[in-house]
Amino acid sequence: MKIFVDNRPFDVHAGQSLLQACLTLGFDLPYFCWHPAMGSVGACRQCAVKQYKDEADKRGRIVMSCMTPVTEDLRISVKDAEVSAFRAGVIEGLMISHPHDCPVCDEGGECHLQDMTVMTGHNYRRYRFNKRTFRNQYLGPFVNHEMNRCIQCYRCVRYYREYTGGRDLDVFALRNLAYFGRYEDGVLENEFAGNLVEICPTGVFTDKTLKHHYTRKWDLQMAPSVCVHCALGCNTTAGERYGSLRRIVNRYNGEVNGYFLCDRGRFGYEFVNHKDRIRQPLARKNGRLRPVTRSEALSQLRSILSGAKLAGIASPRASLEANFVLRALVGPERFYAGVSEAQYRLTAAIIELLKTGPAHTPSLREIERSDAVLILGEDVTNVAPRMALALRQSVRQAAFRLAEKLHIPVWLDHPVREAAQDLRSPLFVAATHGTKLDDVAKEAFHAAPLEIARLGFAVAHAIDASAPEPANLSEEMRALASRIAEALKGASKPLVVSGTSLNSQEVVDAAANVAWALCRIGKPASLSFTLPECNSMGLALMGAKPFVEGMEAVRNGEADSLVVLENDLYRRTSRENVDALLATAQHVIVLDLLANPTTAKAEVVLPAGSFAEAEGTLVSSEGRAQRLFRVYAPGGDVQESWRWLRDMMAEAGRQEATAWETFDDVLGSTAQAIPAIHGAVGAAPPATFRLAGAKIPREPHRYSGRTAMLANISVSEPKPPEDADSPLSYTMEGYPEQPPPALTPYFWAPGWNSIQSVNAFQEEIAGPLRGGDPGVRLIEPRPGNGYRSCVSEAFVARGEAWLLAPLYHIFGSEELSPWAPAVSELAPQTYVALRPDDASRLGAEEGQEVEVQWNGTAHRLPVKFRADLPAGVAGLPVGLPGTECAGLPVWAKISKPL
Amino acid sequence: MFSILRTLWNILLHSFRPRVTIQYPDEKPYLAPRYRGRIILSRDPDGGERCVACYLCAVACPVDCISLQATEDEHGRRYPDFFRINFSRCIFCGYCEEACPTYAIQLTPDFEICEYDRQNLVYEKEDLLISGPGKYPDYSFWRVAGVQIGGKAKGESEREDAPADVRNLLP
Ligand code: SF4
Ligand code: SF4
Ligand code: SF4
Ligand code: SF4
Ligand code: FES
C-alpha cells in the first residue's frame, strides 16, 4: 500500500506499524520501548510523527508511530518542526536524571540512548536540579546492573517476564523512581537474561564478562561466527582485542536465532582465553608431556606416521573441514566418529528419519510459528536453550489468531495479551522430569523414557489408526494420547520435538511416527531433533564408522596408532574402555584446544584453533550448514585442526595434501568427496569475493590504537596478517557497503551505533537479512514411507534399583562453556537426583552422600531431591566432572553407605 | 633594476631591527600553557589517576597512536591498566585533549622529546602520568559521575538525591 512521508510517496506492506514501515524505508526515527521481537506498547513517546488527514491538512496531529498501523494513503511528516521539537523534548525529559556516566559506561559507543539523543538533537542540559539515584543489585556473573542510567522504557521487564517467562525481574516503586531489578540481590534465574544487555537501550544492564576486559565496540576486531555450545547454530558476532576474545553478541539471522541468544552461548566464550589452553605442541619425553617447537613436533610426527596403521577419531565439535582432512589422513575405512555408541546410532537414525520421511526439520523461526507442539523426552531449555525460547513464543499463536479475529494488529503487544489472557496454543511436554517449559504447557507428563516413547506411539496411533499402537496402554495414557492427538490435528502447523538426550531409539521413532501420522492426514507437520554438539549433525552426515569399531580395530591390531581430533574420549564411553584403547595404541596423537584427560595420555598434542581462531563449516540440528570465520589470527603455533592434519599428511609424504593451501581448497574437496554435505560450499562466498574490489574489514572504521598497540614490542608497525582463507581482512580498510549476510562482521549503520542498527541490514524489520538469511539447508524431507514399529513392553519400576536418567544443565553439561569462569560459577556440583520418598526409603537426607553403582562402577554422590521424577527413576547430571555419563539411562543400585 | 635596489635597501634596514631568532637551546622561548607539546596524564585533585580509560582519546586520535586497556579497582573506579602513546606517530593535534571528558590527557608546552632511537618515543603510563592536576586544578570527573567508587557512595555526587527507597509506594 502507499503512504506519504513528507509528501513523498512510498510503497509499504500492510499489517505493520508506521514505525516499522518508516525504519524499513530507512528513515531515522528514534524509539525506545518498541522492539521488533516484542511489538509496541507506546510507553516512551519517542517515536512521534505528525499525521495529516489529507493533502489539504496543514496542521496535522502528533501520533506515536509505533502505535499507528499503516493505512492506505496515510500522510505523515517525520521532519516537521513541531514534532521534531516534541521528540527532543521527550528525550530531554528522559535524560533529566541521567548520570554523567558515558565515559565509564560500558554501553558507550554502542548506546541506543546516545544515538537517539544525537538523532533528536538534544545536546544541552537545562535541568539544574538534583538527579534521582538508585542502589544497584548483584545479578549474577553475567549481567551488571547500574540503575541510575534507566530511562523507564520497560523493555527489560517486558522481555524478561513476558517474552522469556522469567519471574525474578520486575519493576518496583513508582513515578520517576520506577526501579527495574530483582526483589533482592541474586543471580538472575532465567537462561536468557544475557539478552537484557542488548534489549536495554541504555547502560543499565551490561555484559559483566566484557567488563573484566572492557573494550569499546569500535575497538573490537569482529567476525561472523556461529555458537559452538549446542547444536542449534545460533549466529554470533565475536570480538577480539589485543589477542584475546572479548565478547559475543547476537548476530541476527531471521531463520535461526533472530534477536536472541542463550546465556551459555553469550557468556561461554571465555574458554578461548583460558590459561589451560594448549598453545604449543607438546610431546612426551621420559613419560612427561613437554612443549616442543613446531618443527620438532612435525619431525616426531613424521617418524610416527611412517609405517603406522592409523585410525582417526573424528569430532562432533570440529568443523566439517577438519573432520574431512582427518578422514583423508586415515582413510575412510578407519575414520571413526568420536561419539558414544548410543549417540552414533541415534544421530544416524535421525538423519534417516529426516531424509526418508515426509516431515521437514523446521528452523527456529518456523518453530516459533508452530501452533501445536509435542515435546517428547527433551528438557529443551537445558539441551537446546534457544529453541526453548522459540517454543515459548509458539504458544502465542492462539493469541495472534484471536487478535486477528478482533482486528487487533498482532504487534500491538498489550492489547493482544489483554485479549488473550491465558489463551495459549497447545504445547505438551513429555519428559523424565519437570522442565522449564511446563509453565506454558497445556499438559506435562513425567515418566520413564520407555513410557514417553509409548505415549508418542499412542499419539501417532490416535492421529492415524494405521500407525502401530503400543500394547497394554493404561486408560489414563490413552486419554492423554487422544487429547494430544486432537490438539495436533487441530493445528495448522504442528510440530514434534525430540532428540538424543535420553539416548532412546524408541523415543525418536515415536516422535517420527507422530509427525508422519500428521503428514499422512494432510498436516504440514515438522519434526525437530535436538542434538548434543555443534557439529553432531555434520559429523553424522560424513558417514564415519562407529567408535566401538575403532576401539575394536585397535584391539585386534588392524590399526596401531590413533589420531584424535578435538575430542575428550572419556566423555564418550567408559573410563575402562578409553584407558584400554589408549594403552593398546602405540602412538596417540591428539589435536585439541584445552588440556583434558585424553590429551594427558597423548604422545603428541597439537594446539588446535578454537572457533575464534579457525574458519569452518558447522551443520546445525536443523541441517543448516553455516560458516564461521576466524576472528583473529592466533599467535604462535596455534592453527586450525585441518591445517595440522594437512601438515601431518605432508609429513607422511601424501602429495594430495599439498593442494590444500587455503580453506576453500579443503572445502571444495570435502564437498566433492561427500555428497551429503555438498551444499556446504554455498554457506558463504569464497575467499575471492570482493566488495568494490576490496576485502571486507573485520575492524570498524573507528578502530583505534593501530600505531600504538604493538609499539611496546617494536615501534615499527608490522604488516597486518593476511587472510587467504576468507574474504575478510584484518584491517579497517574496505568499502563501506553492506557485505553479504554470511560475511557481515558486525552491525553498524550511520547514526546507529548500537546493535539496533540491524534494522538497516534487514529487507524489512524483523524479516530476513538483505541478501537472504545465511546458511544452506542440507536435509530436505522425502514424502512417503512406513511407520516405525513400536515398543510394547511398559516400564516397570524395580524396587531395588533405579533407572538413572540423564539430567542436563545449561551451565555444566556442555564441554567447553564451563571453562569460562562466569559459566562455571553457575555450574552445579555433581549429584544424584532422587525422589524424596525414595530417598527417605534409603534413609538419605538432601545433601547426604549415597553410593550409586552402575556398569560395575561405584560412585559416591550427594543426594538432591527432585519430586518431579517418576517412580523408579533417579537422575544423574550429564557432563559434570566426576561422573561417567555416557550411555545413560542405565539401571543403578543406590544404597546408603555405612 | 629598481626592485633589486629596493630589496638591497630593505635588507640593510632589517639588519638594524631587533632579533626574533633566539639562541636555542641556550635561550628558551616562552610558550603559552595551551601550546601543544608532549602529552601528559594528570591526576584528580584527590591525587588519584584522572584517566577513566574511556577510550575517547584513542578513538579521536587521527593517527591512532594511543592504545590502552581499561580495568577497575575493587571499588569500581575505572582506570587504565596500561596507557601507551607512540610519540613517533603523534602529530600533536590536540584532538585527544579535546575528546577527553575528564581533563586527564593534556598537551604541555614541552616539545623537547627528540630521541635517536624511535623506540624511546613509545611512552607508557609511568612516563605519562604526572603528580598534579595540570591545567585544570579543580575538576574531578568522579564527583559528577553517577557510578559509585571507593569513598563515594550512591547519591553522594554533586546534584544528587539520596538513593531512592524502592519499597516506598507513597506518591
Ligand atoms: S547509558 Fe548511554 S547515554 Fe547513558 S551513560 Fe551510558 S553510554 Fe551514556
Ligand atoms: S533498565 Fe533499561 S530496559 Fe529497563 S526500563 Fe530501564 S532503560 Fe529500559
Ligand atoms: S595530539 Fe593528536 S596525534 Fe597526538 S595523540 Fe593526541 S590526538 Fe593523537
Ligand atoms: S579520553 Fe581521557 S579519560 Fe578517556 S581514556 Fe583518554 S585520557 Fe583517559
Ligand atoms: S517507541 Fe513508540 S512510544 Fe516508545
Side-chain angles (χ1 to χ4, degrees), chain A residues 92-163:
Chain A
E92 183 169 16
L94 293 176
M95 295 284 273
I96 271 181
S97 283
H98 201 71
H100 189 69
D101 272 0
C102 296
V104 289
C105 175
D106 288 1
E107 195 82 357
E110 49 180 327
C111 176
H112 188 63
L113 177 58
Q114 283 180 337
D115 290 349
M116 298 302 103
T117 310
V118 172
M119 197 176 281
T120 54
H122 166 60
N123 55 11
Y124 187 76
R125 185 178 177 78
R126 291 185 295 171
Y127 184 76
R128 294 266 160 246
F129 304 99
N130 281 359
K131 298 177 183 179
R132 57 106 178 88
T133 64
F134 293 111
R135 288 201 181 83
N136 302 326
Q137 288 179 327
Y138 167 78
L139 298 178
F142 295 150
V143 179
N144 194 63
H145 193 220
E146 184 62 48
M147 236 330 268
N148 281 357
R149 299 170 188 154
C150 177
I151 54 160
Q152 286 91 25
C153 70
Y154 280 73
R155 263 187 175 193
C156 52
V157 284
R158 287 178 58 219
Y159 166 73
Y160 199 87
R161 301 184 69 83
E162 289 164 6
Y163 197 84

Side-chain angles (χ1 to χ4, degrees), chain B:
Chain B
M1 183 66 204
F2 172 74
S3 83
I4 290 172
L5 287 177
R6 193 181 63 182
T7 308
L8 286 172
W9 175 243
N10 274 342
I11 290 169
L12 185 72
L13 282 184
H14 271 292
S15 51
F16 298 104
R17 293 257 171 86
R19 303 284 131 105
V20 184
T21 312
I22 59 163
Q23 291 304 312
Y24 179 83
D26 296 334
E27 261 176 75
K28 305 275 186 192
Y30 168 76
L31 293 177
R34 58 165 193 218
Y35 184 87
R36 301 198 308 264
R38 178 173 58 92
I39 300 171
I40 54 99
L41 287 176
S42 61
R43 286 180 188 274
D44 266 344
D46 67 7
E49 264 176 62
R50 216 173 217 171
C51 171
V52 299
C54 69
Y55 297 97
L56 286 175
C57 51
V59 74
C61 178
V63 296
D64 286 346
C65 73
I66 303 180
S67 137
L68 66 147
Q69 175 58 52
T71 188
E72 262 172 29
D73 73 7
E74 69 276 25
H75 304 296
R77 179 170 174 145
R78 199 165 274 204
Y79 66 96
D81 188 27
F82 73 85
F83 194 111
R84 182 180 308 130
I85 300 183
N86 178 357
F87 280 111
S88 79
R89 289 287 188 188
C90 177
I91 54 169
F92 302 97
C93 62
Y95 284 10
C96 48
E97 178 167 354
E98 212 147 298
C100 181
T102 68
Y103 294 137
I105 196 165
Q106 299 177 10
L107 281 81
T108 66
D110 173 19
F111 56 87
E112 296 169 310
I113 55 171
C114 300
E115 296 282 353
Y116 286 105
D117 183 356
R118 272 179 74 213
Q119 189 65 46
N120 294 339
L121 286 168
V122 179
Y123 280 40
E124 298 291 337
K125 190 167 91 175
E126 303 74 67
D127 311 316
L128 297 164
L129 198 60
I130 63 165
S131 56
K135 287 180 262 187
Y136 306 92
D138 300 326
Y139 184 72
S140 165
F141 170 77
W142 296 110
R143 282 210 295 262
V144 280
V147 298
Q148 177 172 340
I149 55 164
K152 189 203 80 178
K154 282 281 167 202
E156 291 180 2
S157 287
E158 287 169 11
R159 293 220 181 94
E160 274 190 352
D161 285 333
D165 173 8
V166 297
R167 303 265 200 274
N168 185 359
L169 282 180
L170 292 178

Side-chain angles (χ1 to χ4, degrees), chain A residues 19 30-34 41-47 64-67:
Chain A
L19 175 60
Y31 62 83
F32 288 115
C33 64
W34 169 80
V41 289
C44 71
R45 319 315 278 172
Q46 191 57 63
C47 61
M64 295 307 129
S65 64
C66 71
M67 302 297 281

